[in-house]
């Protein structure tokens, strides 16, 4: 009986505290709580706590002799629960992720792009890549730049918009280098880098309308990566912000990341079922909070990134314990609906990548034998020693770089397998009509941006970044034993040539195709982005132009 009266309620409390502690432990260690044995343990502990406590209360109801003792203990335990929840909610810096993060079945492509942006905010990462060391710093909005305040006056600001070419794998990125070159001309010049990897001109347009003009820029420069920004099936539609709600997921994301009065206001907007048609409407709704523009932009990005149809009904106690509710939702989400298919697919892709790259943990002299073993296993042909002999004919230059670091494995491994077994590549020739129609549509998009810049009296320039093999002869010949990129990427090159011929007629354009000598050996062989030489060449060309364009 003593066990029931004394230890049973204590066991319930201990199990609940351990469960929440596990959730918190995974958060501060940047791990995902929604899977694995520790998540199962957290769930079991939480269920155990609830079952034990319910059993204790039921025993008190049916037991006349011990009813008062059990009632008194229950009151004490509930007060203890409340104190623990209050401490966890208000004192612990706990930042749970929203449910279904990055799941394509729930969010649109645009929302996932913004979620990736939010995922890197306020992070610092040192990148070591083939001798280059680059510290990547992301500001409070997720841009690869230092913090900029739109409220600052007296600055001559230039906004750069682009993709990974403005943030990746070099000692300094091109945006930083351009600013350094312009400082001697005007010490008040700032280059603001609104770039994000794996994005395209439609994403650039979103940043152009949504963020670029916040800084009252003197000039905007949009970098078009001709290697992957153009799609032969693209169809132009005029810019219109997608309508969005304040969803439950947005509130769960913001819990612990901003002031509680902001969370309460977002909950009110959600409960009012308020539909916003653009960023300005949301900012106007939040205007009474008197927040700085960077904070308002952060809130807008978080809301837009997690706006889906499940903006739903209010949670119980949502206004008082949003962090706790976020943790519980995250803990149980996959148990109710199962693992999201896109996350399963991503896990399988990671497993393939892990298998291919595991050999790079071996001493360098053993890596070729390991890779040959994978090729032999995949194709059920030859023995690894025969494959090693075939690969040795590629030449020392390629093998030396290939075996140094696991880069471009999605391209290099299939290419090597085809080379070993002499499997020819078959590439479709682009349709001239299809190329013309696609560029017609892109020209409409760029004209739209040009018209808006003129309306606001802001300079606008496009920079065309060629695909590596079309500009860098050394890069082209490096891959030529296995891949003829000019054949493989003939559609991409045809689109690039058409745009290069037509864009200068409607907008100021810096076409880097005209600087062949400057970019020879300017791309990483096994990456396709600019190396230090390429970044410096681009910075010199763009800064020289801006010295006269920005007065």
């Amino acid at each position: 009986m003593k066990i029931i009266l004394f230890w049973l309620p204590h066991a319930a409390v201990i199990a609940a505290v351990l469960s929440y502690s596990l959730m918190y432990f995974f958060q501060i260690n940047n791990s995902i709580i929604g899977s694995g044995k520790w998540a199962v343990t957290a769930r079991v502990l939480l269920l155990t706590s609830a079952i034990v406590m319910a059993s204790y209360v039921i025993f008190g109801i049916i037991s006349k002799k011990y009813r008062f003792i059990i009632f008194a203990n229950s009151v004490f335990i509930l007060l203890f629960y409340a104190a623990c929840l209050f401490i966890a909610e208000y004192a612990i810096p706990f930042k749970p992720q929203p449910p279904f993060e990055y799941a394509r079945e729930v969010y649109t492509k645009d929302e996932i792009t913004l979620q990736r942006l939010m995922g890197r905010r306020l992070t610092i990462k040192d990148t070591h890549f083939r001798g280059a060391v680059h510290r990547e710093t992301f500001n409070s909005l997720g841009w690869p730049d230092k913090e900029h305040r739109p409220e600052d006056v007296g600055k001559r600001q230039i906004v750069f918009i682009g993709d990974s070419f403005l943030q990746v794998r070099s000692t300094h990125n091109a945006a930083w280098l351009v600013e350094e070159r312009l400082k001697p001309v005007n010490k008040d010049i700032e280059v603001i880098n609104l770039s994000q990897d794996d994005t395209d001109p439609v994403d650039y347009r979103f940043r152009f309308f949504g963020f670029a003009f916040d800084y009252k820029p003197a000039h905007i420069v949009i970098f078009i990566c001709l290697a992957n920004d153009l799609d032969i099936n693209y169809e132009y539609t005029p810019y219109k912000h997608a309508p969005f709600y304040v969803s439950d997921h947005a509130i769960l994301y913001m819990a612990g990341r901003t002031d509680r009065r902001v969370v309460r206001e977002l909950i009110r907007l959600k409960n009012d079922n308020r539909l916003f048609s653009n960023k300005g409407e949301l900012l106007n709704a939040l205007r009474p909070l008197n927040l700085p523009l960077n904070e308002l932009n952060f809130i807008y990005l978080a809301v837009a990134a997690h706006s889906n149809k499940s903006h739903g009904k209010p949670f119980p106690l949502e206004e008082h314990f949003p962090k706790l509710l976020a943790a519980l939702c995250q803990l149980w989400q996959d148990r109710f609906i199962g693992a999201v298919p896109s996350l399963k697919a991503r896990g399988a892709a990671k497993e393939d990548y892990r298998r291919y790259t595991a050999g790079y943990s071996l001493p360098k002299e053993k890596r070729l034998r390991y890779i040959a073993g994978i090729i032999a296993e995949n194709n059920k042909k030859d023995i690894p020693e025969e494959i090693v002999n075939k690969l040795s004919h590629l030449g020392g230059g390629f093998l030396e770089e290939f075996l140094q670091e696991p880069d471009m494995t999605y391209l290099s491994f299939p290419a090597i397998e085809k080379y070993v077994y002499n499997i020819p590549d078959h590439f479709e020739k682009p349709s001239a009509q299809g190329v013309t129609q696609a560029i017609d549509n892109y020209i409409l998009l760029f004209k739209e941006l040009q018209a808006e810049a003129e309306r606001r009296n802001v300079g606008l320039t496009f920079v065309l970044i060629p695909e590596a093999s079309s500009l860098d002869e050394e890069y082209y010949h490096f891959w030529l034993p296995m891949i003829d990129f000019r054949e493989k990427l003939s559609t991409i090159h045809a689109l690039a040539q058409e745009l290069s011929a037509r864009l200068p007629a409607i907008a100021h354009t810096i076409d880097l195709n005209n600087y062949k000598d400057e970019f020879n050996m300017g791309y990483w062989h096994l990456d396709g982005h600019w190396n230090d030489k390429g970044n410096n060449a681009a910075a010199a060309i763009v800064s020289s132009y801006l010295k006269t364009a920005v007065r």
Side-chain angles (χ1 to χ4, degrees):
M1 189 58 64
K2 287 184 178 179
I3 293 176
I4 295 176
L5 293 178
F6 183 77
W7 289 112
L8 205 63
H10 284 76
V13 170
I14 291 169
V17 170
L18 285 175
S19 177
Y20 197 73
S21 297
L22 279 174
M23 289 186 262
Y24 179 66
F25 171 79
F26 276 87
Q27 287 297 330
I28 62 175
N29 285 278
N30 297 317
S31 298
I32 299 173
I33 191 67
S35 60
K37 62 181 181 180
W38 294 111
V40 173
T41 303
R43 295 188 191 107
V44 169
L45 287 169
L46 202 59
L47 275 177
T48 301
S49 174
I51 292 169
V52 169
M53 195 62 205
S55 302
Y56 187 67
V57 171
I58 292 171
F59 178 75
I61 293 172
I62 63 176
S63 172
K64 294 181 180 180
K65 182 177 181 180
Y66 299 105
R67 185 174 298 169
F68 178 78
I69 297 174
I70 291 174
F71 175 76
N73 284 343
S74 299
V75 171
F76 172 77
I77 290 168
L78 289 174
L79 290 174
F80 181 79
Y81 264 113
C84 288
L85 293 177
F86 184 87
I87 292 170
E89 183 69 32
Y90 290 88
I92 297 176
F94 185 54
K95 296 181 179 180
Q97 296 296 316
F100 317 116
E101 193 78 346
Y102 307 140
R104 289 189 181 277
E105 285 71 19
V106 178
Y107 294 112
T108 66
K109 173 184 176 293
D110 293 338
E111 288 168 342
I112 292 170
T113 297
L114 293 182
Q115 288 177 19
R116 289 194 300 110
L117 185 70
M118 292 287 90
R120 66 187 194 177
R121 61 183 296 270
L122 296 175
T123 60
I124 299 175
K125 181 174 66 174
D126 287 329
T127 301
H128 300 263
F129 184 74
R130 298 190 179 274
V133 181
H134 176 217
R135 169 159 285 191
E136 292 182 293
T137 303
F138 299 98
N139 62 27
S140 63
L141 297 179
W143 308 124
D145 201 352
K146 59 181 180 289
E147 203 69 44
H148 294 282
R149 288 164 36 91
E151 297 87 350
D152 287 345
V153 295
K155 297 292 186 182
R156 197 75 167 151
Q157 293 172 320
I158 302 169
V159 172
F160 279 16
I161 299 175
D163 67 352
S164 53
F165 267 86
L166 294 185
Q167 68 178 58
V168 51
R169 295 187 170 175
S170 186
T171 307
H172 296 292
N173 64 47
W176 186 93
L177 291 169
V178 169
E179 180 175 291
E180 289 300 299
R181 288 173 178 269
L182 293 177
K183 284 286 187 184
V185 178
N186 185 338
K187 63 182 178 60
D188 291 324
I189 281 182
E190 281 189 337
V191 174
I192 297 166
N193 190 359
L194 306 184
S195 298
Q196 184 182 1
D197 59 303
D198 196 23
T199 52
D200 58 32
V202 175
D203 300 306
Y204 306 159
R205 180 173 65 175
F206 171 78
R207 280 172 250 160
F208 176 87
F209 281 101
F211 296 96
F213 296 105
D214 287 348
Y215 300 92
K216 298 179 175 57
H219 209 90
I220 299 173
V221 183
I222 299 178
F223 291 75
I224 307 297
C225 174
L226 299 177
N228 56 18
D229 273 2
L230 305 179
D231 179 0
I232 198 166
N233 297 312
Y234 172 70
E235 294 183 6
Y236 167 78
T237 55
Y239 178 72
K240 182 181 180 182
H241 197 298
F244 62 98
Y245 293 92
V246 178
S247 70
D248 290 329
H249 295 174
I251 292 169
L252 297 181
Y253 177 86
M254 293 300 293
R257 289 179 168 88
T258 188
D259 191 276
R260 298 189 68 81
R261 65 195 179 104
V262 174
V263 177
R264 290 193 181 99
E265 182 63 19
L266 292 176
I267 290 171
R268 185 187 68 80
L269 294 172
K270 186 208 76 169
N271 291 343
D272 289 346
N273 209 26
R274 181 82 172 271
L275 178 65
F276 300 97
S277 60
N278 55 53
K279 168 184 163 182
E281 290 184 4
L282 176 63
L283 267 55
N284 285 333
L286 298 173
R287 193 174 300 279
L289 298 176
N290 293 318
L291 298 171
L293 186 54
N294 271 354
E295 178 71 10
L296 290 170
N297 277 333
F298 166 53
I299 296 168
Y300 159 69
L301 282 170
V303 170
H306 301 99
S307 176
N308 55 50
K309 295 180 181 179
S310 62
H311 48 281
K313 298 178 180 179
F315 288 141
L317 302 178
E318 179 181 47
E319 194 167 341
H320 301 289
F321 296 99
K323 285 196 289 184
L324 175 67
L325 288 167
L328 294 177
C329 287
Q330 188 174 327
L331 179 65
W332 287 94
Q333 59 176 312
D334 61 320
R335 304 309 302 169
F336 290 129
I337 58 95
V340 178
S342 67
L343 299 181
K344 287 183 177 179
R346 190 174 296 108
K350 285 183 178 179
E351 176 60 24
D352 287 343
Y353 180 82
R354 184 206 62 76
R355 181 167 170 264
Y356 279 127
T357 58
Y360 286 85
S361 62
L362 299 172
K364 195 170 182 179
E365 63 273 10
K366 296 183 178 181
R367 294 175 187 175
L368 186 60
R369 173 64 176 74
Y370 175 87
I371 291 166
I374 292 178
I375 295 173
E377 180 184 341
N378 286 348
N379 292 276
K380 306 284 190 288
K381 297 178 183 178
D382 294 337
I383 58 175
E385 287 71 21
E386 293 176 351
I387 295 174
V388 168
N389 183 53
K390 292 179 181 179
L391 291 177
S392 65
H393 296 298
L394 284 172
F398 179 88
L399 285 179
E400 178 68 23
E401 289 202 35
F402 173 71
L403 295 174
Q404 184 179 343
E405 292 183 27
D407 311 314
M408 286 180 77
T409 52
Y410 65 92
L411 191 63
S412 57
F413 276 103
I416 285 175
E417 290 187 18
K418 288 181 179 180
Y419 174 82
V420 166
Y421 297 112
N422 198 27
I423 301 172
D425 271 321
H426 300 284
F427 307 119
E428 291 185 10
K429 294 295 182 182
S431 157
Q433 182 181 1
V435 169
T436 301
Q437 288 178 347
I439 299 305
D440 285 344
N441 281 277
Y442 279 112
I443 290 295
L444 292 174
L445 185 150
F446 298 139
K447 281 183 175 179
E448 180 183 33
L449 302 183
Q450 179 66 31
E452 181 66 14
E454 290 176 356
R455 187 180 73 82
R456 292 176 178 261
N457 196 29
V458 174
L460 176 63
T461 300
F462 295 93
V463 177
L464 301 183
I465 304 174
E467 187 275 323
S469 69
S470 69
L471 184 65
D472 184 348
E473 287 293 330
E474 200 269 343
Y475 178 96
Y476 173 66
H477 288 285
F478 176 86
W479 280 95
L480 198 53
M482 293 179 301
I483 304 175
D484 186 334
F485 274 113
R486 292 176 184 173
E487 286 288 325
K488 182 181 180 67
L489 304 178
S490 58
T491 299
I492 288 173
H493 291 168
L495 290 167
Q497 290 167 9
E498 182 76 7
L499 184 63
S500 295
R502 296 175 57 182
L503 186 58
I506 66 156
H508 296 293
T509 305
I510 302 173
D511 188 352
L512 299 183
N513 284 295
N514 299 326
Y515 298 89
K516 205 173 186 71
D517 291 340
E518 286 82 348
F519 286 94
N520 190 48
M521 300 183 68
Y523 290 78
W524 293 112
H525 288 150
L526 288 163
D527 179 73
H529 291 89
W530 291 324
N531 55 25
D532 276 347
K533 179 182 177 182
N535 270 289
N536 279 292
I541 294 163
V542 173
S543 60
S544 177
Y545 169 86
L546 289 174
K547 285 175 183 178
T548 58
V550 181
R551 296 291 186 181

